[in-house]
Amino acid sequence: MSNAPNLQQNRYKADLREVRFLLFEQFKLDQILGQGPFEAWGPDEVQMVVDEAYKFSCEVLGPLNAIGDRVGCRLEDGKVITPPGFKEAWKKLYEAGWMAVSADTEYGGQGGPFTLHIAIQEFMSGANSAFIMYPGLAFGAAEVIQLFGTDAQKERYLHSMYGGTSGGTMCLTEPHAGSDVGSSTSTAKKLPDGKYAIRGTKIFISGGDHDCADNVIHLVLARVEGAPAGTKGLSLFIVPKIRINEDGSLGEANDVNVGAIEHKMGINGSATCLLNFGENDGCIGELVGTVENQGMPQMFRMMNGARISVGLQGVAVAASAYLNALEYARDRKQGPSITNWKDATAPRVAIIEHPDVRRMLIDMKSRVEGIRALIIKLTRHFDLATVLKGKDDEQALYHQGQVDLLVPLVKAYGSDQGFRVCETAIQTFGGAGYIKDYPVEQHCRDAKVFSIYEGTNHIQAMDLVGRKLGQRGGANLQTFLGEVGAFVKANEKDPILGKAVKELGEAQEAVAGSAMRLLGWFQMGKMPMVPLAANRFLEMMSETAVAWLLLDGARIAIDAQAKLPADDSAAPERAFYEGKKQAALYYALNVLPHVRLNAEILGREDASALDIPLDAFATV
Amino acid sequence: MSNAPNLQQNRYKADLREVRFLLFEQFKLDQILGQGPFEAWGPDEVQMVVDEAYKFSCEVLGPLNAIGDRVGCRLEDGKVITPPGFKEAWKKLYEAGWMAVSADTEYGGQGGPFTLHIAIQEFMSGANSAFIMYPGLAFGAAEVIQLFGTDAQKERYLHSMYGGTSGGTMCLTEPHAGSDVGSSTSTAKKLPDGKYAIRGTKIFISGGDHDCADNVIHLVLARVEGAPAGTKGLSLFIVPKIRINEDGSLGEANDVNVGAIEHKMGINGSATCLLNFGENDGCIGELVGTVENQGMPQMFRMMNGARISVGLQGVAVAASAYLNALEYARDRKQGPSITNWKDATAPRVAIIEHPDVRRMLIDMKSRVEGIRALIIKLTRHFDLATVLKGKDDEQALYHQGQVDLLVPLVKAYGSDQGFRVCETAIQTFGGAGYIKDYPVEQHCRDAKVFSIYEGTNHIQAMDLVGRKLGQRGGANLQTFLGEVGAFVKANEKDPILGKAVKELGEAQEAVAGSAMRLLGWFQMGKMPMVPLAANRFLEMMSETAVAWLLLDGARIAIDAQAKLPADDSAAPERAFYEGKKQAALYYALNVLPHVRLNAEILGREDASALDIPLDAFATV
């Protein structure tokens, strides 16, 4: 329409009451605050960080989201120029310390819980998904160096990477090595001084270059001469864009060149680069740590964090799309109420009063809140693993096991559903959702990549069924299923939730049975059935986990509601808890039943997708 | 990647063997050729038109698809400038007569079957969805004038509208009257000469102005002074952009002005206009026909065709996305075969050999071919209604009833699944699918609008459950269900298809039961449950229809396969039929079972979406 809103208006918003519910009422962050590494942190500090980070996201990042999309990045004289305002936002982000909330205090971080880091990263991802990738990748790369680097490497790189004077990247993908990382042909040749000469071309490198920081520290997978084929022979190298002198100052340029940047469907503010390493034989890198051929386990460690961040991007963008659609549905008047549908003179009502619009809204709400709960559950396990390490190693292992198990669910289900919610948000807007005056079409375009990068969602599904289900002798899965089962047993007779909890019980059994079937296929020589069914199984397990956590939240909400005073002063809180309850019922009764159907379909072992001959898909 | 393909390369392709299968093997177009209005048409003429129209789509329209998206339309001095090449393509389109294949011979048309028109429109929509909207809307508007206009109006407008010297539009939507058309505030005041002065603002008008033709004939819904409120008081007016003199020559400009054009997620080559009628009190229109307040029935008649075209756009774009993904999957090598998955030195294979990629391909194939079959079934009913009218009116009524029943399915399921298939195509490409070097991201963006315009998909669902189910005393639905039931009975013991046919039987029963339940809600005062469940029911009925037609096609394919010679000469045909069979099995065993689950969910009457208070969706 003609009255197009200001391109630099912030359209981002979050429901802070919901965040508080998750952190303190459902996942009881206070239980891990004030002890061990989080000794300096109490609930008040956490709440203050949440509030301020949200404010920052709305004031600094949100206003750059549309402009970043429309202007995009450009390559000028071999350098990436980010959209207007990104450079200033980067500076403010690091000045405020938002990327270092959970980073080690030794390197300038604030040592807070990972849960808090993720809670506030959601705001930043939702306000500007493209922008946050630059600092997010720098953070992830720094974590790898912190975990696996030598003391000298940590000292040399971490201050600048956590502090915002250096960016960072993960350089895995090559033109002919995407999902199949092991086919990488980049090489590393050891030099007399212990460093390595790096050669190779990497593609799809997010933040591969930018003008927000003085330097970019690349982590590059390459194969040392004579190393084994496949993933086992890959090593990880630190390759700065600008070499760093012994005194820490910037030296001369390394031989790292941006060959091109991609033009994409979305996240246009994020530069996706083709990088050439060593095309002039002058690219010098150093091995992460001291042992060669450790690239994959090192990268995997980094990928855990990156994959959580991608699932989080999904929910963050979806949450913004949902809340924007909700606002529109409250404002936009169209048609009479369904109770007056035959009366042409009946007053027009806000579209939120129309049943199908409410269906779309509660559908979005339940998916967003359920997946967010899954992410916070995961980060709670992460923090507890940190707290308990060395104190109660068995418990720490249990928590780490749940992290490992849930990462593929968070990444794949979070990203798939993020896109789905954006699609529903567009539909809620109607024609207005398709035009650039509103943010949801951009959210939808941005969200599509989440199911692809950091390992496609099929890679996640194979990680789940091929590695995670059997991990620790299957203990991680058994524990997960046992916890769902215990919740079912405790709540199956509840007068409000009972019917929904019964669905959860059936879903839990369906997941357990399908997991056994999948593991059986490995042994029975039916290996091709595993990838054929893997995505379906991941979805089943995700829906079961999400329904469980929504119903657990509803249980808490119902109990809290009962304790509220009966007068009007408690009306907003009553409504909030009522919303939690209804969304859980909606999801459990409308989405969750698909789990048992999918178990039935999986059990049939239909192999039409394998039986169809290669030349039978089409005659062209 | 750096080797970006030429922006003007045609990326469109269609499987002509599949089109031939539908037209002649499954839907036996030859049975209606050579008789009645189609006397001049035989199978050879049809095949020639199909072949030539495909060639035209690839040579003329396909090369303009990406450029139309990237350059888009612009508004210059109040006039819309279409993307480079559109004007020339329009000229070639009309010179070749592609828009007049099924138009009346009296007005320059070729009088062919509607089925043929739709079959070739698929090529044009798939090759360039944005471009085809200009001639498509002109065609639809011309049809309305042909059906409802006076002889003088037909004579004055149809030659130019079928011949390409005039464009055409449908002007329904206003800023506060979208789905609620009856709230329209545009007015018409009768003038002494019998014409009308039109005033009002219309938005989201596709092809509202363009430079391809000399004139644009708008069909405008407006309310004559004193007419009733709501849809009953709306009349339809012919409002030319340039007035037409008595001798047919172009006169002076009418008072119709383009206020703005929208910036959209996709279909950027199609100008979406805000039009002001009569802002200078000089907009003159004439009533379609001679009776006021007939605007809605007239528009509805036009909308049937427009809605079929939108469902067709969905399948057309999806088919192109599928075939592009298929081509990529055959070319792109990545990773070893699943049978060698632990061997890092095993040869890399084309990704079509990976089970999950095959799953995505057969999923796309089955949806595309199934929905296309549904559309051709609908157009066959349309053509038979035309052939039998006046000869066997009862049979003609049966065929028209099936057209009415299937239109909402084609529009809504075709558009929803079109978008879904594009999403799957992107995933099949992986990272390459997200970048603009390949056509699938544009297809996905283009496709999103199909679920919104020409009546949102919820409007379609309400049309189905609120009007179509009860039409002719429920006879249309009963006939449909009876035909599915007869197929089930005839094939449930088939050794190859039996299991899938059994699923179809269960789906048919689930649809029948849910239809009864829906109709019951109208009577039991549970009216708000109807819109809540309408989309779910439409999907159930669509999946049942699509599975039926896929299995019917598989039945034909299996029989045809048995008659092929056993030697290599028949290998391509054998593969083609095998593909039909496997895709039908896939859809029936993996997608169709959702129908019975959805019936179960619908039967629960969960009303959480209605129970949730308005202020409980979020605290912001």
Side-chain angles (χ1 to χ4, degrees):
Chain A
M1 292 176 53
S2 51
N3 50 346
N6 179 353
L7 205 59
Q8 298 194 30
Q9 186 191 335
N10 173 55
R11 310 299 296 244
Y12 180 68
K13 55 180 137 183
D15 187 347
L16 293 185
R17 179 66 188 89
E18 167 68 14
V19 174
R20 207 165 74 234
F21 177 84
L22 285 183
L23 293 184
F24 296 110
E25 293 174 77
Q26 187 166 9
F27 293 107
K28 305 194 185 309
L29 190 61
D30 42 318
Q31 289 179 351
I32 59 170
L33 297 174
Q35 59 174 304
F38 310 130
E39 213 182 335
W41 288 84
D44 291 347
E45 284 75 23
V46 166
Q47 191 60 54
M48 198 189 69
V49 166
V50 166
D51 292 344
E52 288 298 314
Y54 176 57
K55 193 160 167 267
F56 177 85
S57 299
C58 293
E59 290 176 0
V60 178
L61 303 185
L64 301 177
N65 199 32
I67 199 95
D69 178 64
R70 307 304 191 273
V71 177
C73 297
R74 63 181 204 278
L75 189 60
E76 222 177 78
D77 299 330
K79 291 186 195 316
V80 169
I81 315 294
T82 57
F86 273 39
K87 201 170 170 170
E88 294 74 19
W90 168 285
K91 196 157 170 272
K92 288 181 192 166
L93 178 87
Y94 280 97
E95 278 172 1
W98 294 127
M99 290 312 294
V101 165
S102 69
D104 202 316
T105 49
E106 200 175 330
Y107 302 104
Q110 298 155 47
F114 184 58
T115 299
L116 179 59
H117 170 74
I118 287 296
I120 67 172
Q121 284 293 308
E122 186 194 326
F123 303 148
M124 309 203 181
S125 294
N128 199 324
S129 240
F131 172 83
I132 204 63
M133 292 182 65
Y134 298 103
L137 283 156
F139 182 85
E143 278 190 313
V144 174
I145 296 175
Q146 187 173 337
L147 279 165
F148 301 106
T150 63
D151 287 344
Q153 286 170 340
K154 293 185 208 177
E155 194 53 38
R156 190 174 313 135
Y157 297 109
L158 293 186
H159 295 280
S160 74
M161 293 176 83
Y162 284 133
T165 51
S166 285
T169 71
M170 299 170 61
C171 298
L172 286 79
T173 301
E174 299 180 11
H176 291 280
S179 293
D180 178 26
V181 181
S183 287
S184 168
T185 57
S186 292
T187 57
K189 188 178 170 175
K190 197 165 186 176
L191 301 173
D193 66 355
K195 293 192 171 174
Y196 292 77
I198 310 291
R199 277 193 71 110
T201 296
K202 299 284 180 177
I203 62 166
F204 295 154
I205 306 307
S206 298
D209 189 46
H210 58 83
D211 54 359
C212 295
D214 301 331
N215 204 357
V216 179
I217 308 300
H218 303 287
L219 292 185
V220 181
L221 271 187
R223 198 180 308 274
V224 178
E225 282 182 313
T231 53
K232 286 179 187 162
L234 293 174
S235 301
L236 190 61
F237 297 90
I238 303 171
V239 182
K241 170 184 165 183
I242 314 282
R243 291 183 194 156
I244 295 173
N245 298 322
E246 283 306 312
D247 66 358
S249 64
L250 293 181
E252 59 191 45
N254 207 348
D255 181 12
V256 180
N257 296 293
V258 186
I261 60 174
E262 305 294 347
H263 299 281
K264 310 186 295 292
M265 183 182 192
I267 56 162
N268 292 320
S270 169
T272 306
C273 301
L274 182 155
L275 294 181
N276 290 311
F277 294 90
E279 58 183 345
N280 305 309
D281 292 326
C283 181
I284 305 296
E286 52 185 299
L287 189 67
V288 173
T290 55
V291 185
E292 291 177 355
N293 300 340
Q294 295 300 308
M296 283 309 282
Q298 291 169 351
M299 269 291 179
F300 262 113
R301 189 65 183 261
M302 176 170 180
M303 277 193 268
N304 250 1
R307 287 171 176 183
I308 295 165
S309 295
V310 174
L312 185 74
Q313 280 185 305
V315 88
V317 166
S320 176
Y322 163 56
L323 292 175
N324 272 282
L326 177 61
E327 179 183 39
Y328 186 81
R330 284 170 171 158
D331 285 353
R332 170 82 174 162
K333 286 194 166 54
Q334 188 83 175
S337 158
I338 182 76
T339 52
N340 291 323
W341 66 296
K342 287 191 168 172
D343 177 3
T345 62
R348 312 290 95 174
V349 299
I351 62 171
I352 194 174
E353 298 202 28
H354 297 320
D356 185 59
V357 171
R358 295 174 81 120
R359 177 189 64 76
M360 291 191 278
L361 291 172
I362 200 169
D363 188 83
M364 290 189 277
K365 175 181 168 70
S366 68
R367 288 174 204 265
V368 165
E369 295 181 3
I371 297 166
R372 186 188 286 121
L374 183 62
I375 294 174
I376 300 298
K377 176 182 162 64
L378 186 160
T379 62
R380 178 181 158 83
H381 284 301
F382 185 98
D383 283 327
L384 282 166
T386 308
V387 167
L388 295 170
K389 203 174 173 185
K391 283 191 206 162
D392 183 343
D393 282 332
E394 198 179 321
Q395 274 294 303
L397 212 61
Y398 148 69
H399 287 294
Q400 184 57 47
Q402 294 302 299
V403 170
D404 292 342
L405 184 68
L406 298 181
V407 162
L409 274 57
V410 161
K411 195 285 180 180
Y413 194 67
S415 57
D416 276 341
Q417 296 300 313
F419 183 69
R420 190 69 64 248
V421 166
C422 291
E423 181 192 348
T424 306
I426 292 176
Q427 199 70 20
T428 309
F429 273 88
Y434 195 65
I435 60 176
K436 291 182 182 284
D437 299 14
Y438 294 95
V440 289
E441 70 83 30
Q442 182 190 340
H443 284 329
C444 189
R445 288 184 291 107
D446 286 349
K448 191 66 224 81
V449 77
F450 305 154
S451 64
I452 299 170
Y453 65 23
E454 294 307 336
T456 67
N457 284 358
H458 180 60
I459 295 286
Q460 306 303 319
M462 288 304 286
D463 178 48
L464 175 66
V465 303
R467 292 171 14 109
K468 303 299 175 65
L469 290 191
Q471 226 175 16
R472 297 177 62 226
N476 298 343
L477 177 70
Q478 289 310 323
T479 308
F480 170 84
L481 291 172
E483 290 175 11
V484 178
F487 178 85
V488 171
K489 209 165 173 193
N491 293 281
E492 64 194 346
K493 293 191 177 131
D494 185 275
I496 297 169
L497 301 179
K499 200 162 64 170
V501 170
K502 193 170 157 288
E503 270 295 342
L504 180 62
E506 291 182 35
Q508 187 256 26
E509 281 170 29
V511 169
S514 297
M516 291 305 295
R517 191 178 289 273
L518 273 161
L519 294 172
W521 285 339
F522 277 101
Q523 289 145 18
M524 290 153 63
K526 291 186 179 176
M527 185 59 206
M529 284 306 296
V530 175
L532 199 56
N535 291 34
R536 193 184 294 275
F537 180 79
L538 183 141
E539 187 173 279
M540 291 167 59
M541 195 166 153
S542 302
E543 287 176 349
T544 302
V546 163
W548 167 35
L549 299 177
L550 283 174
L551 288 168
D552 179 56
R555 168 81 279 140
I556 294 163
I558 290 168
D559 295 345
Q561 232 180 2
K563 290 182 196 140
L564 291 173
D567 60 23
D568 279 0
S569 70
E573 281 289 280
R574 201 152 38 236
F576 171 75
Y577 289 127
E578 188 65 20
K580 298 296 300 173
K581 186 180 92 185
Q582 296 295 348
L585 288 173
Y586 170 84
Y587 190 91
L589 296 174
N590 292 276
V591 181
L592 185 60
H594 289 89
V595 175
R596 59 182 152 87
L597 180 71
N598 273 321
E600 185 192 328
I601 293 173
L602 189 146
R604 271 184 182 158
E605 304 191 8
D606 167 55
S608 46
L610 304 174
D611 293 342
I612 183 171
L614 286 184
D615 52 357
F617 282 98
T619 67
V620 285
Chain B
M1 293 175 52
S2 50
N3 49 344
N6 179 355
L7 205 58
Q8 300 194 30
Q9 186 190 336
N10 172 55
R11 309 300 294 245
Y12 179 69
K13 54 180 136 182
D15 187 349
L16 294 185
R17 178 67 187 88
E18 167 68 13
V19 174
R20 206 165 75 232
F21 176 84
L22 285 183
L23 294 184
F24 296 109
E25 293 174 76
Q26 188 166 11
F27 292 106
K28 305 195 185 308
L29 190 60
D30 43 317
Q31 290 178 350
I32 59 169
L33 297 174
Q35 58 175 305
F38 311 130
E39 212 182 332
W41 289 85
D44 290 347
E45 284 75 24
V46 167
Q47 190 60 55
M48 198 190 72
V49 166
V50 166
D51 292 344
E52 287 299 314
Y54 175 59
K55 192 160 168 264
F56 177 85
S57 300
C58 293
E59 289 177 0
V60 177
L61 303 185
L64 300 176
N65 199 32
I67 199 98
D69 178 65
R70 307 302 192 275
V71 176
C73 297
R74 65 183 204 277
L75 189 60
E76 222 176 78
D77 300 329
K79 293 185 193 315
V80 169
I81 315 295
T82 57
F86 273 39
K87 202 170 169 172
E88 295 73 20
W90 168 285
K91 195 155 171 275
K92 287 181 192 165
L93 179 85
Y94 281 97
E95 278 173 4
W98 294 127
M99 291 311 295
V101 166
S102 69
D104 202 317
T105 49
E106 201 175 329
Y107 302 104
Q110 297 155 48
F114 183 58
T115 299
L116 178 59
H117 171 74
I118 287 296
I120 68 172
Q121 283 293 308
E122 186 194 324
F123 302 149
M124 309 205 181
S125 294
N128 198 325
S129 238
F131 171 83
I132 204 64
M133 293 183 67
Y134 298 104
L137 283 155
F139 182 85
E143 278 190 311
V144 173
I145 296 175
Q146 186 172 339
L147 280 165
F148 302 107
T150 63
D151 285 346
Q153 286 171 341
K154 293 185 207 174
E155 194 54 38
R156 189 174 311 135
Y157 297 109
L158 293 186
H159 295 281
S160 74
M161 292 176 82
Y162 285 133
T165 51
S166 286
T169 71
M170 301 168 61
C171 298
L172 288 77
T173 301
E174 299 181 10
H176 291 279
S179 293
D180 179 25
V181 181
S183 286
S184 168
T185 57
S186 292
T187 58
K189 187 179 172 177
K190 196 164 187 175
L191 301 172
D193 67 351
K195 293 194 170 172
Y196 291 78
I198 309 290
R199 278 193 70 109
T201 297
K202 298 285 180 178
I203 61 168
F204 295 154
I205 307 307
S206 297
D209 188 48
H210 58 84
D211 54 0
C212 296
D214 301 330
N215 204 357
V216 179
I217 309 301
H218 303 286
L219 292 185
V220 181
L221 271 189
R223 196 180 310 275
V224 178
E225 283 182 311
T231 51
K232 286 178 185 162
L234 294 173
S235 301
L236 191 61
F237 298 90
I238 302 172
V239 183
K241 168 184 166 184
I242 314 283
R243 292 183 193 155
I244 296 173
N245 299 322
E246 284 305 313
D247 65 357
S249 63
L250 292 182
E252 57 192 46
N254 207 347
D255 181 11
V256 180
N257 295 293
V258 186
I261 59 173
E262 306 293 348
H263 299 281
K264 309 185 296 293
M265 184 182 191
I267 56 161
N268 292 321
S270 169
T272 306
C273 302
L274 182 153
L275 294 181
N276 290 311
F277 294 92
E279 59 183 345
N280 305 308
D281 292 326
C283 180
I284 306 295
E286 52 185 301
L287 188 68
V288 173
T290 55
V291 185
E292 291 178 353
N293 300 340
Q294 295 300 307
M296 283 308 285
Q298 291 170 351
M299 268 293 180
F300 262 114
R301 189 62 185 264
M302 176 171 178
M303 278 193 268
N304 249 2
R307 288 172 175 182
I308 296 165
S309 294
V310 174
L312 185 73
Q313 279 185 305
V315 87
V317 166
S320 176
Y322 163 56
L323 292 175
N324 272 283
L326 176 61
E327 178 183 40
Y328 187 80
R330 283 170 172 157
D331 284 354
R332 170 80 175 164
K333 286 194 166 57
Q334 187 83 177
S337 159
I338 182 75
T339 51
N340 292 321
W341 66 296
K342 287 191 166 172
D343 177 3
T345 61
R348 310 292 94 174
V349 299
I351 62 171
I352 195 173
E353 298 202 28
H354 297 319
D356 185 59
V357 171
R358 296 174 81 120
R359 177 189 64 76
M360 292 191 278
L361 291 172
I362 199 170
D363 187 83
M364 292 189 276
K365 175 181 168 70
S366 68
R367 289 173 203 266
V368 165
E369 295 181 3
I371 297 167
R372 186 188 287 121
L374 182 63
I375 294 175
I376 299 299
K377 174 182 164 63
L378 186 160
T379 62
R380 177 181 159 83
H381 285 301
F382 185 98
D383 284 327
L384 282 166
T386 307
V387 167
L388 296 169
K389 203 175 172 184
K391 281 191 204 160
D392 182 343
D393 282 332
E394 197 180 320
Q395 274 294 302
L397 212 60
Y398 147 68
H399 287 295
Q400 184 57 47
Q402 294 303 298
V403 170
D404 292 341
L405 184 69
L406 298 181
V407 162
L409 274 56
V410 161
K411 195 284 181 181
Y413 195 68
S415 58
D416 276 342
Q417 296 301 312
F419 183 69
R420 190 71 64 248
V421 167
C422 290
E423 181 191 348
T424 305
I426 292 176
Q427 200 69 21
T428 309
F429 273 89
Y434 195 65
I435 60 176
K436 291 180 182 285
D437 299 14
Y438 293 95
V440 288
E441 70 83 28
Q442 181 189 342
H443 285 329
C444 189
R445 288 184 291 107
D446 287 349
K448 189 69 221 80
V449 77
F450 305 153
S451 65
I452 298 170
Y453 65 22
E454 294 305 337
T456 67
N457 283 358
H458 180 60
I459 295 286
Q460 306 304 318
M462 288 304 287
D463 178 49
L464 176 66
V465 303
R467 293 170 14 106
K468 303 300 175 63
L469 291 192
Q471 228 174 18
R472 298 176 63 225
N476 297 343
L477 177 70
Q478 288 311 322
T479 308
F480 169 85
L481 291 172
E483 290 177 10
V484 178
F487 178 85
V488 170
K489 207 164 172 194
N491 293 284
E492 64 194 347
K493 295 195 176 127
D494 185 275
I496 298 169
L497 300 179
K499 200 163 61 170
V501 170
K502 194 170 155 290
E503 271 295 343
L504 180 63
E506 291 182 36
Q508 187 257 25
E509 283 171 30
V511 169
S514 297
M516 290 305 294
R517 190 177 289 272
L518 274 161
L519 294 172
W521 286 339
F522 277 100
Q523 290 146 16
M524 291 155 62
K526 291 187 178 174
M527 186 58 207
M529 285 304 298
V530 175
L532 199 57
N535 291 34
R536 194 184 295 274
F537 180 78
L538 183 142
E539 187 173 282
M540 291 167 60
M541 196 168 152
S542 303
E543 286 174 350
T544 303
V546 164
W548 167 35
L549 300 177
L550 283 173
L551 288 168
D552 178 57
R555 167 82 279 143
I556 295 164
I558 291 167
D559 295 345
Q561 229 179 6
K563 289 180 196 141
L564 291 172
D567 59 24
D568 279 0
S569 70
E573 282 289 280
R574 200 151 38 234
F576 170 75
Y577 289 126
E578 186 67 20
K580 298 297 298 172
K581 186 180 93 186
Q582 296 295 348
L585 288 173
Y586 170 84
Y587 190 91
L589 297 174
N590 291 276
V591 181
L592 185 61
H594 289 88
V595 175
R596 58 182 153 87
L597 180 71
N598 274 321
E600 185 191 329
I601 292 173
L602 188 146
R604 270 183 183 160
E605 303 191 7
D606 167 55
S608 46
L610 304 174
D611 294 341
I612 183 171
L614 286 184
D615 54 355
F617 282 99
T619 68
V620 285

